[in-house]
Amino acid sequence: MAGSGRRPEHRGPPELFYDEAEARKYTQNSRVVEIQSQMSERAVELLGLPEDRPCLLLDVGCGSGLSGDYISNEGHYWIGMDISPAMLDVAVEREVEGDLLLADVGHGIPFRPGMFDGCISISAVQWLCNADKKSHNPPKRLYRFFSTLYTALAQGSRAVLQLYPENSEQLELITAQAMRAGFTGGMVVDYPNSAKAKKFFLCLFVGVSGTLPKGLGTDCTDGEEIHQAKFTNERTRFRNTKGKSVKKSRDWILEKKERRRRQGKEVRADTKYTGRKRRPRF
């Protein structure tokens, strides 16, 4: 996986898609470099790092090291992981300051517990949703990634993962596996009403439930309400005493509406009439 700074077109596994020609394109395209820098700056900002000391960060899908450049410029140290040898070769040629590791994060994060003060990832995590090989099981690979990432992060730290979900189902799959691994937090959406500027940042907390940062460009106007998607590691199921699902109940409807809000869809506001049965018309 490689932090591309643009929405990737999925043409096979990332280690093949990001070949030598594609890898060099990213460092030679000024527009890509600019976007990558902006998203890296936003991701580090959402980490909420202490200002009085340098931190050690993990860069998942570090690619050619463009996001690492920003981390270094901010005075922090970093280790980058990527599955593309071509991307890492470019990073070595560029003499980036971080350490580099060729690895598939779907196999897990191979570092000791509590090693990192935070983690960022730019345009990489959605690749784990693809079954590029017969042995690939996306839910299992995502859970392996998130569970080992949780262990590698220090208590009270954060992981901020910028991603391009292909659809709402993919977004829900990613957040569900993060929640299952123990993370709390939610999705921060910058400029949700803009087709081009809209960006998804999965902001995850380790050990504590922090306050979810506000997305950029989410100021409400003309009575419009912007929802930030938030989740915890508590699972809720709506069942009656006999163990059957209480479908169409008020709780079931409210849970479904909240799930659709997490997917970024427009949902009517909750009222005292939500879930109430209507009288038959004559």
Short mmCIF file of all heavy atoms in Angstrom, two decimals, residues 61-106:
data_model
loop_
_atom_site.label_atom_id
_atom_site.label_comp_id
_atom_site.label_asym_id
_atom_site.label_seq_id
_atom_site.Cartn_x
_atom_site.Cartn_y
_atom_site.Cartn_z
N GLY A 61 1.58 2.64 4.95
CA GLY A 61 1.46 2.95 3.52
C GLY A 61 2.24 4.20 3.20
O GLY A 61 1.74 5.12 2.55
N CYS A 62 3.50 4.25 3.67
CA CYS A 62 4.30 5.48 3.59
C CYS A 62 4.69 5.84 2.16
O CYS A 62 5.05 6.99 1.88
CB CYS A 62 5.55 5.34 4.44
SG CYS A 62 6.68 4.02 3.87
N GLY A 63 4.64 4.86 1.24
CA GLY A 63 4.96 5.15 -0.15
C GLY A 63 6.37 5.68 -0.33
O GLY A 63 7.33 5.17 0.24
N SER A 64 6.51 6.75 -1.09
CA SER A 64 7.83 7.34 -1.38
C SER A 64 8.30 8.30 -0.30
O SER A 64 9.30 8.97 -0.47
CB SER A 64 7.80 8.05 -2.74
OG SER A 64 6.80 9.05 -2.74
N GLY A 65 7.55 8.38 0.80
CA GLY A 65 7.99 9.18 1.93
C GLY A 65 7.52 10.61 1.94
O GLY A 65 8.03 11.43 2.71
N LEU A 66 6.52 10.95 1.13
CA LEU A 66 6.03 12.33 1.09
C LEU A 66 5.38 12.73 2.42
O LEU A 66 5.59 13.84 2.91
CB LEU A 66 5.04 12.51 -0.06
CG LEU A 66 5.61 12.35 -1.47
CD1 LEU A 66 4.50 12.45 -2.51
CD2 LEU A 66 6.69 13.40 -1.73
N SER A 67 4.58 11.83 2.98
CA SER A 67 3.96 12.13 4.28
C SER A 67 5.02 12.15 5.37
O SER A 67 4.94 12.94 6.32
CB SER A 67 2.87 11.10 4.60
OG SER A 67 3.34 9.78 4.43
N GLY A 68 6.04 11.30 5.25
CA GLY A 68 7.13 11.30 6.22
C GLY A 68 7.91 12.60 6.22
O GLY A 68 8.41 13.04 7.27
N ASP A 69 8.01 13.24 5.05
CA ASP A 69 8.70 14.52 4.97
C ASP A 69 8.04 15.55 5.89
O ASP A 69 8.72 16.31 6.58
CB ASP A 69 8.68 15.05 3.54
CG ASP A 69 9.63 14.27 2.62
OD1 ASP A 69 10.49 13.56 3.15
OD2 ASP A 69 9.47 14.38 1.40
N TYR A 70 6.71 15.55 5.90
CA TYR A 70 6.01 16.51 6.76
C TYR A 70 6.26 16.18 8.24
O TYR A 70 6.47 17.08 9.05
CB TYR A 70 4.51 16.51 6.48
CG TYR A 70 3.77 17.49 7.36
CD1 TYR A 70 3.77 18.85 7.06
CD2 TYR A 70 3.14 17.07 8.52
CE1 TYR A 70 3.14 19.77 7.89
CE2 TYR A 70 2.51 17.97 9.36
CZ TYR A 70 2.51 19.32 9.05
OH TYR A 70 1.90 20.21 9.88
N ILE A 71 6.22 14.88 8.58
CA ILE A 71 6.47 14.48 9.96
C ILE A 71 7.85 14.95 10.41
O ILE A 71 8.03 15.49 11.51
CB ILE A 71 6.36 12.95 10.10
CG1 ILE A 71 4.92 12.50 9.82
CG2 ILE A 71 6.79 12.50 11.49
CD1 ILE A 71 4.74 10.98 9.79
N SER A 72 8.86 14.75 9.55
CA SER A 72 10.23 15.18 9.87
C SER A 72 10.31 16.69 10.03
O SER A 72 10.99 17.20 10.93
CB SER A 72 11.19 14.71 8.78
OG SER A 72 11.23 13.30 8.70
N ASN A 73 9.64 17.42 9.15
CA ASN A 73 9.66 18.88 9.22
C ASN A 73 9.03 19.41 10.50
O ASN A 73 9.37 20.51 10.95
CB ASN A 73 8.94 19.48 8.00
CG ASN A 73 9.69 19.26 6.71
OD1 ASN A 73 10.91 19.04 6.72
ND2 ASN A 73 8.98 19.30 5.59
N GLU A 74 8.13 18.61 11.09
CA GLU A 74 7.50 19.01 12.35
C GLU A 74 8.33 18.62 13.56
O GLU A 74 7.93 18.84 14.70
CB GLU A 74 6.11 18.37 12.45
CG GLU A 74 5.08 18.95 11.50
CD GLU A 74 4.79 20.42 11.81
OE1 GLU A 74 4.24 20.69 12.89
OE2 GLU A 74 5.12 21.27 10.96
N GLY A 75 9.50 18.01 13.32
CA GLY A 75 10.39 17.67 14.41
C GLY A 75 10.15 16.32 15.05
O GLY A 75 10.68 16.03 16.13
N HIS A 76 9.38 15.46 14.37
CA HIS A 76 9.09 14.14 14.91
C HIS A 76 9.88 13.07 14.15
O HIS A 76 10.40 13.31 13.06
CB HIS A 76 7.59 13.85 14.83
CG HIS A 76 6.73 14.82 15.57
ND1 HIS A 76 6.82 15.00 16.94
CD2 HIS A 76 5.78 15.69 15.14
CE1 HIS A 76 5.95 15.93 17.32
NE2 HIS A 76 5.32 16.37 16.25
N TYR A 77 9.92 11.88 14.73
CA TYR A 77 10.58 10.73 14.10
C TYR A 77 9.52 9.77 13.59
O TYR A 77 8.41 9.74 14.11
CB TYR A 77 11.50 10.03 15.11
CG TYR A 77 12.53 10.95 15.72
CD1 TYR A 77 12.33 11.50 16.99
CD2 TYR A 77 13.70 11.29 15.04
CE1 TYR A 77 13.26 12.36 17.56
CE2 TYR A 77 14.63 12.14 15.59
CZ TYR A 77 14.41 12.67 16.86
OH TYR A 77 15.35 13.53 17.40
N TRP A 78 9.89 8.96 12.59
CA TRP A 78 8.87 8.07 12.03
C TRP A 78 9.48 6.81 11.44
O TRP A 78 10.65 6.78 11.06
CB TRP A 78 8.04 8.78 10.97
CG TRP A 78 8.80 9.33 9.79
CD1 TRP A 78 9.51 10.50 9.75
CD2 TRP A 78 8.95 8.73 8.50
NE1 TRP A 78 10.07 10.67 8.51
CE2 TRP A 78 9.75 9.61 7.72
CE3 TRP A 78 8.47 7.55 7.91
CZ2 TRP A 78 10.08 9.33 6.40
CZ3 TRP A 78 8.81 7.28 6.59
CH2 TRP A 78 9.60 8.16 5.85
N ILE A 79 8.65 5.77 11.42
CA ILE A 79 8.95 4.52 10.73
C ILE A 79 7.83 4.28 9.73
O ILE A 79 6.65 4.37 10.08
CB ILE A 79 9.06 3.34 11.72
CG1 ILE A 79 10.21 3.56 12.70
CG2 ILE A 79 9.24 2.02 10.96
CD1 ILE A 79 10.31 2.49 13.77
N GLY A 80 8.19 3.99 8.49
CA GLY A 80 7.19 3.81 7.45
C GLY A 80 7.10 2.36 6.99
O GLY A 80 8.12 1.67 6.88
N MET A 81 5.89 1.90 6.74
CA MET A 81 5.64 0.56 6.21
C MET A 81 4.95 0.68 4.86
O MET A 81 4.05 1.50 4.69
CB MET A 81 4.74 -0.25 7.16
CG MET A 81 5.33 -0.53 8.51
SD MET A 81 4.15 -1.45 9.56
CE MET A 81 4.00 -2.99 8.63
N ASP A 82 5.35 -0.15 3.91
CA ASP A 82 4.68 -0.17 2.61
C ASP A 82 4.90 -1.53 1.97
O ASP A 82 5.92 -2.19 2.21
CB ASP A 82 5.20 0.94 1.70
CG ASP A 82 4.17 1.34 0.65
OD1 ASP A 82 3.98 0.57 -0.32
OD2 ASP A 82 3.54 2.40 0.81
N ILE A 83 3.94 -1.93 1.14
CA ILE A 83 4.02 -3.23 0.47
C ILE A 83 4.67 -3.14 -0.90
O ILE A 83 5.01 -4.14 -1.51
CB ILE A 83 2.59 -3.83 0.33
CG1 ILE A 83 2.67 -5.34 0.04
CG2 ILE A 83 1.79 -3.10 -0.73
CD1 ILE A 83 1.31 -6.02 0.06
N SER A 84 4.90 -1.90 -1.39
CA SER A 84 5.44 -1.69 -2.74
C SER A 84 6.95 -1.46 -2.69
O SER A 84 7.41 -0.42 -2.21
CB SER A 84 4.77 -0.49 -3.40
OG SER A 84 5.46 -0.12 -4.58
N PRO A 85 7.75 -2.41 -3.21
CA PRO A 85 9.21 -2.20 -3.25
C PRO A 85 9.59 -0.98 -4.08
O PRO A 85 10.54 -0.26 -3.73
CB PRO A 85 9.72 -3.49 -3.90
CG PRO A 85 8.65 -4.50 -3.68
CD PRO A 85 7.37 -3.73 -3.73
N ALA A 86 8.86 -0.73 -5.16
CA ALA A 86 9.18 0.41 -6.03
C ALA A 86 9.01 1.73 -5.28
O ALA A 86 9.83 2.65 -5.42
CB ALA A 86 8.28 0.39 -7.27
N MET A 87 7.95 1.83 -4.49
CA MET A 87 7.72 3.05 -3.72
C MET A 87 8.83 3.26 -2.69
O MET A 87 9.33 4.37 -2.52
CB MET A 87 6.36 2.98 -3.02
CG MET A 87 5.18 3.26 -3.94
SD MET A 87 5.20 4.95 -4.57
CE MET A 87 3.53 5.46 -4.25
N LEU A 88 9.22 2.20 -2.00
CA LEU A 88 10.27 2.32 -0.99
C LEU A 88 11.62 2.62 -1.64
O LEU A 88 12.45 3.32 -1.04
CB LEU A 88 10.34 1.03 -0.17
CG LEU A 88 9.11 0.75 0.71
CD1 LEU A 88 9.29 -0.55 1.49
CD2 LEU A 88 8.83 1.90 1.67
N ASP A 89 11.84 2.12 -2.85
CA ASP A 89 13.09 2.44 -3.56
C ASP A 89 13.19 3.94 -3.82
O ASP A 89 14.26 4.54 -3.69
CB ASP A 89 13.15 1.67 -4.89
CG ASP A 89 13.46 0.19 -4.71
OD1 ASP A 89 13.91 -0.18 -3.61
OD2 ASP A 89 13.22 -0.58 -5.66
N VAL A 90 12.07 4.54 -4.20
CA VAL A 90 12.05 5.99 -4.43
C VAL A 90 12.31 6.73 -3.12
O VAL A 90 13.03 7.73 -3.08
CB VAL A 90 10.71 6.43 -5.04
CG1 VAL A 90 10.64 7.95 -5.14
CG2 VAL A 90 10.53 5.81 -6.43
N ALA A 91 11.72 6.23 -2.02
CA ALA A 91 11.94 6.85 -0.71
C ALA A 91 13.42 6.81 -0.33
O ALA A 91 13.96 7.78 0.21
CB ALA A 91 11.09 6.14 0.34
N VAL A 92 14.08 5.68 -0.61
CA VAL A 92 15.52 5.55 -0.32
C VAL A 92 16.31 6.52 -1.17
O VAL A 92 17.24 7.20 -0.68
CB VAL A 92 15.99 4.10 -0.55
CG1 VAL A 92 17.50 4.02 -0.45
CG2 VAL A 92 15.35 3.15 0.45
N GLU A 93 15.96 6.64 -2.45
CA GLU A 93 16.65 7.57 -3.35
C GLU A 93 16.48 9.02 -2.88
O GLU A 93 17.40 9.83 -3.02
CB GLU A 93 16.12 7.42 -4.77
CG GLU A 93 16.51 6.12 -5.45
CD GLU A 93 15.93 6.01 -6.84
OE1 GLU A 93 15.41 7.04 -7.35
OE2 GLU A 93 15.98 4.91 -7.44
N ARG A 94 15.33 9.31 -2.32
CA ARG A 94 15.06 10.66 -1.84
C ARG A 94 15.73 10.93 -0.49
O ARG A 94 15.67 12.04 0.02
CB ARG A 94 13.55 10.89 -1.72
CG ARG A 94 12.81 10.82 -3.06
CD ARG A 94 11.32 11.06 -2.87
NE ARG A 94 11.04 12.36 -2.29
CZ ARG A 94 10.53 12.54 -1.07
NH1 ARG A 94 10.21 11.50 -0.32
NH2 ARG A 94 10.32 13.75 -0.62
N GLU A 95 16.32 9.90 0.10
CA GLU A 95 17.02 10.01 1.38
C GLU A 95 16.11 10.57 2.48
O GLU A 95 16.46 11.53 3.17
CB GLU A 95 18.28 10.87 1.23
CG GLU A 95 19.29 10.30 0.26
CD GLU A 95 20.56 11.13 0.16
OE1 GLU A 95 20.56 12.30 0.63
OE2 GLU A 95 21.55 10.64 -0.39
N VAL A 96 14.95 9.96 2.61
CA VAL A 96 14.03 10.37 3.65
C VAL A 96 14.64 10.08 5.01
O VAL A 96 15.51 9.21 5.16
CB VAL A 96 12.67 9.65 3.51
CG1 VAL A 96 12.00 10.01 2.20
CG2 VAL A 96 12.83 8.14 3.64
N GLU A 97 14.18 10.79 6.03
CA GLU A 97 14.78 10.68 7.36
C GLU A 97 14.22 9.51 8.17
O GLU A 97 14.83 9.11 9.17
CB GLU A 97 14.59 11.99 8.12
CG GLU A 97 15.31 13.17 7.48
CD GLU A 97 15.18 14.43 8.32
OE1 GLU A 97 14.93 14.32 9.53
OE2 GLU A 97 15.34 15.53 7.75
N GLY A 98 13.09 8.96 7.76
CA GLY A 98 12.49 7.87 8.53
C GLY A 98 13.07 6.51 8.16
O GLY A 98 13.73 6.35 7.13
N ASP A 99 12.84 5.54 9.03
CA ASP A 99 13.21 4.16 8.74
C ASP A 99 12.09 3.51 7.93
O ASP A 99 10.90 3.82 8.12
CB ASP A 99 13.44 3.38 10.03
CG ASP A 99 14.66 3.88 10.79
OD1 ASP A 99 15.65 4.23 10.14
OD2 ASP A 99 14.61 3.95 12.03
N LEU A 100 12.45 2.57 7.05
CA LEU A 100 11.49 1.99 6.12
C LEU A 100 11.41 0.48 6.30
O LEU A 100 12.42 -0.19 6.54
CB LEU A 100 11.88 2.32 4.68
CG LEU A 100 12.04 3.81 4.36
CD1 LEU A 100 12.63 3.99 2.97
CD2 LEU A 100 10.71 4.54 4.47
N LEU A 101 10.20 -0.06 6.15
CA LEU A 101 9.98 -1.50 6.28
C LEU A 101 9.08 -1.98 5.15
O LEU A 101 7.97 -1.47 4.98
CB LEU A 101 9.33 -1.81 7.64
CG LEU A 101 8.93 -3.27 7.89
CD1 LEU A 101 10.17 -4.16 7.91
CD2 LEU A 101 8.15 -3.40 9.19
N LEU A 102 9.55 -2.95 4.38
CA LEU A 102 8.74 -3.57 3.34
C LEU A 102 7.87 -4.64 3.99
O LEU A 102 8.37 -5.64 4.50
CB LEU A 102 9.64 -4.22 2.28
CG LEU A 102 8.94 -4.99 1.16
CD1 LEU A 102 8.08 -4.06 0.31
CD2 LEU A 102 9.97 -5.71 0.29
N ALA A 103 6.56 -4.42 4.00
CA ALA A 103 5.66 -5.35 4.69
C ALA A 103 4.23 -5.14 4.24
O ALA A 103 3.85 -4.06 3.78
CB ALA A 103 5.77 -5.16 6.21
N ASP A 104 3.44 -6.20 4.39
CA ASP A 104 2.01 -6.17 4.13
C ASP A 104 1.31 -5.97 5.48
O ASP A 104 1.34 -6.86 6.33
CB ASP A 104 1.58 -7.49 3.49
CG ASP A 104 0.08 -7.57 3.21
OD1 ASP A 104 -0.64 -6.62 3.56
OD2 ASP A 104 -0.36 -8.60 2.65
N VAL A 105 0.68 -4.81 5.68
CA VAL A 105 0.07 -4.54 6.98
C VAL A 105 -1.13 -5.46 7.25
O VAL A 105 -1.59 -5.56 8.38
CB VAL A 105 -0.36 -3.06 7.10
CG1 VAL A 105 0.85 -2.15 7.03
CG2 VAL A 105 -1.39 -2.69 6.05
N GLY A 106 -1.62 -6.13 6.20
CA GLY A 106 -2.67 -7.11 6.40
C GLY A 106 -2.19 -8.31 7.20
O GLY A 106 -3.00 -9.09 7.72
#
